Amino acid sequence: MKWIQSYVFKIQLLLDRISETDDSEILMDCENKLYALVVAPMLFLAATLNLVFGFIWNSSLLGVVSYSVTLVGCAIGIYRSAHSKAHYPFKVKWTGFFTFLAILVTIFAYYGVIPELLWFIMFIVTMMVSNHMDRTMLIYTMVGYGVLFALGVYKGFSGNPLERNVPFFVILFVMIGLLFYVSMMVSKVYGSLLIKKMERSKLLEQQRKELEYYNRKLQVGQERLKFLAYNDPLTKLPNRKMILEETRVMIDLGSAESLSFAMVFIDLDNFKRINDTMGHSQGDSLLCQVAERLEKTVDSRDLIGRLGGDEMALLVRRSLPESDLFFYIQRFQEALNEPFFLGKVEVHVTGSFGIAVFPTDATTAEDLIRAADTAMYRSKELGKNMIRFFHKEMRDAILEKLHLENRMIHAIEKNEFFLVYQPLYHVQEKRIVGFEALIRWQMEPDLVMTPNAFIPLAEETGLIHEIGEWVIRTACHKVIQMEDMGRSDLTISVNVSSVQMQQQQFANRVKQIILETGVDPEKFYFEITESVFINNMERASQMIEQLRKLGIKIALDDFGTGYSSLSYLTRLPIDILKIDKSFIDYLKIKKDHDTVVGNIIDLAHGLGMTIIAEGVEDVAQSDFLHSLSCDVLQGYYIGVPLAEEAMMDLVTELPKAM
């Protein structure tokens, strides 16, 4: 029947909520509703049985009806109280009241068998609380109540009140059977719920332990991230971020209390040589040893850290006289002068130190480190392994450098750069075969700067990429202009910085310029210096091959001034070799130079290269280079660098190739 299914569904729903909830108030409310669902139908059943048996045994009609109506009212009251929207304590009070009223009416109606009724009530209570009692104690209690109840029944029958009490005992036995069945079912359900709760509790405990484990790992990870955020992973020293933050703290403190402190910039001398010869792993090992030695030397009140590479910084968080500060830094210098060991190999490194003082030299953390860095570079310029304080002249140099950088940023927009063209004379053909494009900067109306004055700064700041592309594009237009004049026999060369060659997209940018201008790439070539190959010869060679595939020839400029050797030429993918002016100056003065230049020319010719001699300034040098079979001459004897208009006038006058 549907109402039975609905009744069972409601009980099951309450049991599910009891098993799932961890809220004590919700749990007690569900148990109260479950109590009402069990007790209310029993009271209805008791009222029905009372009517049936009361009429069968001709009991008092008024007593039978009043008792049954009262039980029905109590059943309705219990159900309504448990399912009302009132707060839980209020619902419990009314549920208890109607339960007490039903018991009181039963006692009043059957006062003759009060002892049996009392044991019956105790039996019901025991059944209802059986889930909260120890199993052994429950069995003993049930047996005791059963014996006492049996004795009470026997006493009632022996008094021969059967005619009057038969309905009561019939109802009593039926109710006992129902209660016993319900109690067992409830006990079974609660036992199942208890198992579920225990399993859930174990699962929650396991999840809690897992959560604690992951929280511990997370905490360790956070501490590790915090350490890495403020410490160098290799040397474990404080990193640049921590040095800057600590310096800012010192600046705030110094500004408030008029205190001074110092920043010391430390750079290892010739560290790159160890990295290149022994490998980066050995270089890292040396850095760790240096860090350990410096950390042992530093005063506990100061802070030493690694800024990056082989650069370190010492924050002297005290106000020391200049002499005391100098002697303090000397301790670090002496510590570095002691030999280091990489395996069984003994190595020696020194350090260059630059010192800047707050607030005399700078008032911000960045400026203070920059000032100390400037003083350190001055130490290197003076011979390395030295200690230098920052001075006003150095600051002026920095300001001049910043001013030059700012002017350079806008120089292209303002058309302040221009090219001059120095002729290239072919010895065998006896004619001008091309020009080298040289950049100049018209910084002021009466001030023209040569490349040596601004190109190093352009390379340092990265502006060389924009400037270099402008030079290439301008040279391409000049080649096209000469072709339009019928002079396709002339070429133009441009100087390319090693910084440009290190740019991964350089070849693609050159290709784009060629496509945009429509120039013939065979009509101009790039001049590079040996510094292109120093850091990574394989990568530089690959870049040169990419440019040669575009049709661009490569000339090695200033040969003989760097790390070059005659055997070195065999490894370079170049087309033209330019002998540096320093060799040309000593021709006929130092005989060994004659031999070297002759060997260079012979070797280069053997490798299929064209030879250009730079810095030819007189007829004697020209004749001698001609005798050595040099291909092309360049210098003031051939022609000075010409402005664009003068260069074009010269082009119109030059004889064409035969």
Side-chain angles (χ1 to χ4, degrees):
M1 296 177 67
K2 289 185 178 180
W3 68 270
I4 295 178
Q5 292 177 350
S6 177
Y7 176 74
V8 173
F9 175 76
K10 288 181 180 180
I11 291 179
Q12 186 62 49
L13 184 63
L14 286 171
L15 292 175
D16 290 341
R17 291 193 66 188
I18 290 172
S19 65
E20 293 173 0
T21 186
D22 290 321
D23 190 306
S24 58
E25 185 170 341
I26 295 176
L27 180 65
M28 291 185 291
D29 185 60
C30 290
E31 289 181 340
N32 192 41
K33 289 179 180 179
L34 184 63
Y35 169 79
L37 282 176
V38 173
V39 172
M42 289 185 179
L43 292 179
F44 274 112
L45 180 60
T48 303
L49 292 175
N50 182 69
L51 284 174
V52 172
F53 289 108
F55 283 114
I56 290 175
W57 279 288
N58 297 320
S59 298
S60 170
L61 181 61
L62 180 62
V64 169
V65 173
S66 61
Y67 173 60
S68 296
V69 170
T70 303
L71 288 181
V72 170
C74 290
I76 295 172
I78 290 172
Y79 185 83
R80 295 291 295 175
S81 298
H83 289 79
S84 69
K85 295 183 179 180
H87 293 297
Y88 172 73
F90 181 81
K91 293 192 285 187
V92 170
K93 288 180 181 178
W94 279 102
T95 303
F97 169 75
F98 285 113
T99 302
F100 173 76
L101 182 61
I103 294 173
L104 189 64
V105 169
T106 305
I107 293 173
F108 180 77
Y110 297 99
Y111 64 90
V113 285
I114 286 178
E116 298 86 346
L117 186 61
L118 289 176
W119 297 124
F120 170 59
I121 294 170
M122 293 296 292
F123 188 82
I124 293 174
V125 172
T126 302
M127 289 291 186
M128 297 305 294
V129 301
S130 62
N131 290 291
H132 306 286
M133 296 180 64
D134 180 82
R135 292 290 112 184
T136 304
M137 181 64 70
L138 176 64
I139 293 172
Y140 288 150
T141 304
M142 296 288 285
V143 171
Y145 286 157
V147 171
L148 292 175
F149 178 70
L151 291 175
V153 172
Y154 173 74
K155 179 183 177 183
F157 275 104
S158 63
N160 198 24
L162 183 60
E163 295 83 0
R164 194 163 60 98
N165 294 324
V166 166
F168 168 75
F169 286 109
V170 171
I171 294 172
L172 188 60
F173 282 118
V174 171
M175 293 298 292
I176 289 173
L178 289 173
L179 282 172
F180 185 78
Y181 174 76
V182 170
S183 178
M184 291 301 101
M185 291 300 296
V186 171
S187 178
K188 182 177 179 181
V189 170
Y190 266 93
S192 175
L193 295 179
L194 183 62
I195 292 173
K196 289 182 179 179
K197 281 186 175 289
M198 288 178 65
E199 292 176 350
R200 187 176 178 186
S201 177
K202 289 180 181 179
L203 179 60
L204 290 175
E205 179 66 18
Q206 182 181 356
Q207 291 176 344
R208 183 187 65 79
K209 290 181 178 179
E210 290 178 355
L211 184 61
E212 289 179 354
Y213 170 74
Y214 287 117
N215 283 339
R216 286 195 298 270
K217 289 193 67 176
L218 181 61
Q219 184 177 0
V220 171
Q222 288 175 339
E223 291 174 355
R224 176 64 177 167
L225 287 175
K226 184 178 180 181
F227 176 83
L228 292 176
Y230 288 96
N231 292 84
D232 174 53
L234 177 63
T235 62
K236 306 301 185 292
L237 292 177
N239 60 11
R240 176 182 288 270
K241 183 178 181 180
M242 179 176 282
I243 292 292
L244 284 172
E245 289 191 7
E246 289 295 321
T247 304
R248 293 187 184 104
V249 171
M250 288 300 300
I251 288 173
D252 293 340
L253 182 63
S255 301
E257 302 184 11
S258 300
L259 299 175
S260 66
F261 63 93
M263 172 66 70
V264 183
F265 201 103
I266 308 169
D267 187 88
L268 300 183
D269 300 324
N270 302 320
F271 177 76
K272 184 179 181 300
R273 176 173 53 83
I274 294 175
N275 253 350
D276 293 342
T277 57
M278 303 186 68
H280 289 279
S281 60
Q282 295 287 15
D284 290 346
S285 177
L286 177 60
L287 283 175
C288 291
Q289 293 184 46
V290 169
E292 183 179 358
R293 190 174 293 182
L294 294 180
E295 198 171 18
K296 290 179 180 178
T297 309
V298 71
D299 188 280
S300 60
R301 292 166 290 183
D302 303 329
L303 180 69
I304 191 165
R306 183 187 179 203
L307 299 177
D310 61 339
E311 296 175 343
M312 298 187 184
L314 171 64
L315 180 61
V316 183
R317 296 187 278 202
R318 296 167 288 149
S319 181
L320 294 176
E322 187 171 298
S323 58
D324 292 347
L325 184 58
F326 180 84
F327 289 124
Y328 177 46
I329 303 306
Q330 255 190 344
R331 288 162 47 187
F332 294 89
Q333 186 183 34
E334 293 167 359
L336 290 178
N337 288 339
E338 294 294 323
F340 293 90
F341 289 91
L342 299 176
K344 296 182 179 180
V345 179
E346 180 178 317
V347 296
H348 294 266
V349 294
T350 57
S352 295
F353 298 80
I355 305 172
V357 178
F358 172 87
T360 306
D361 300 326
T363 55
T364 68
E366 291 78 6
D367 289 345
L368 194 63
I369 290 180
R370 190 179 294 114
D373 186 22
T374 301
M376 182 275 297
Y377 272 109
R378 182 58 179 161
S379 173
K380 284 188 176 294
E381 290 172 0
L382 294 174
K384 303 179 180 180
N385 193 24
M386 302 184 75
I387 302 170
R388 283 292 176 270
F389 284 84
F390 182 82
H391 294 297
K392 182 180 181 300
E393 293 76 14
M394 298 179 186
R395 183 188 297 111
D396 293 341
I398 291 176
L399 294 176
E400 179 63 28
K401 188 176 179 181
L402 290 174
H403 174 69
L404 188 63
E405 180 182 343
N406 291 332
R407 285 291 305 271
M408 199 186 307
I409 291 174
H410 304 289
I412 294 179
E413 298 174 4
K414 296 180 179 180
N415 295 319
E416 293 179 353
F417 290 119
F418 65 94
L419 297 181
V420 294
Y421 304 87
Q422 188 169 28
L424 298 171
Y425 180 78
H426 198 284
V427 176
Q428 300 298 328
E429 297 182 12
K430 297 181 180 181
R431 69 181 185 91
I432 302 296
V433 292
F435 300 87
E436 179 182 356
L438 302 169
I439 189 170
R440 298 291 187 267
W441 183 5
Q442 189 76 50
M443 192 173 182
E444 301 292 344
D446 55 348
L447 176 61
V448 176
M449 297 184 69
T450 59
N452 292 337
F454 63 88
I455 289 298
L457 180 59
E459 291 177 332
E460 182 182 337
T461 58
L463 293 172
I464 190 63
H465 299 297
E466 185 177 0
I467 295 173
E469 287 190 17
W470 177 85
V471 171
I472 295 172
R473 193 181 299 274
T474 304
C476 288
H477 286 302
K478 188 57 61 180
V479 169
I480 294 173
Q481 187 177 356
M482 289 192 301
E483 287 183 336
D484 292 341
M485 297 171 61
R487 299 312 303 262
S488 59
D489 58 327
L490 299 177
T491 63
I492 289 182
S493 67
V494 296
N495 291 277
V496 175
S497 165
S498 60
V499 177
Q500 290 176 270
M501 294 288 288
Q502 292 170 7
Q503 188 181 26
Q504 190 173 3
Q505 297 299 321
F506 179 65
N508 291 334
R509 294 293 301 144
V510 172
K511 181 179 180 180
Q512 185 177 352
I513 292 173
I514 292 173
L515 293 175
E516 289 176 359
T517 59
V519 70
D520 181 359
E522 294 184 356
K523 294 299 184 292
F524 71 98
Y525 58 90
F526 289 162
E527 296 188 15
I528 63 174
T529 61
E530 298 164 32
S531 58
V532 170
F533 301 93
I534 299 305
N535 293 328
N536 192 330
M537 184 170 184
E538 181 179 355
R539 181 176 177 182
S541 298
Q542 291 174 353
M543 177 61 70
I544 290 174
E545 290 295 347
Q546 292 180 33
L547 294 172
R548 294 179 72 188
K549 287 180 180 178
L550 296 176
I552 300 172
K553 292 182 179 180
I554 304 297
L556 182 61
D557 196 10
D558 299 333
F559 182 80
T561 60
Y563 303 92
S564 56
S565 65
L566 297 180
S567 61
Y568 192 42
L569 294 178
T570 61
R571 304 170 58 192
L572 303 178
I574 59 177
D575 305 287
I576 302 167
L577 184 67
K578 298 188 73 173
I579 303 175
D580 186 66
K581 182 180 181 297
S582 60
F583 282 90
I584 308 304
D585 290 340
Y586 288 101
L587 289 177
K588 289 296 182 181
I589 298 176
K590 293 185 177 181
K591 296 299 182 182
D592 56 342
H593 276 65
D594 299 353
T595 304
V596 171
V597 172
N599 289 335
I600 292 174
I601 293 175
D602 291 340
L603 177 60
H605 282 163
L607 296 173
M609 300 178 186
T610 299
I611 300 296
I612 299 177
E614 298 179 291
V616 179
E617 297 184 351
D618 55 47
V619 64
Q621 291 175 339
S622 174
D623 291 343
F624 187 73
L625 289 168
H626 186 278
S627 68
L628 294 176
S629 300
C630 183
D631 300 307
V632 179
L633 304 181
Q634 178 182 358
Y636 277 31
Y637 176 71
I638 305 302
V640 298
L642 302 171
E644 181 179 359
E645 185 177 349
M647 175 261 197
M648 295 306 295
D649 290 340
L650 177 61
V651 168
T652 58
E653 297 172 0
L654 290 176
K656 296 185 179 181
M658 299 299 294

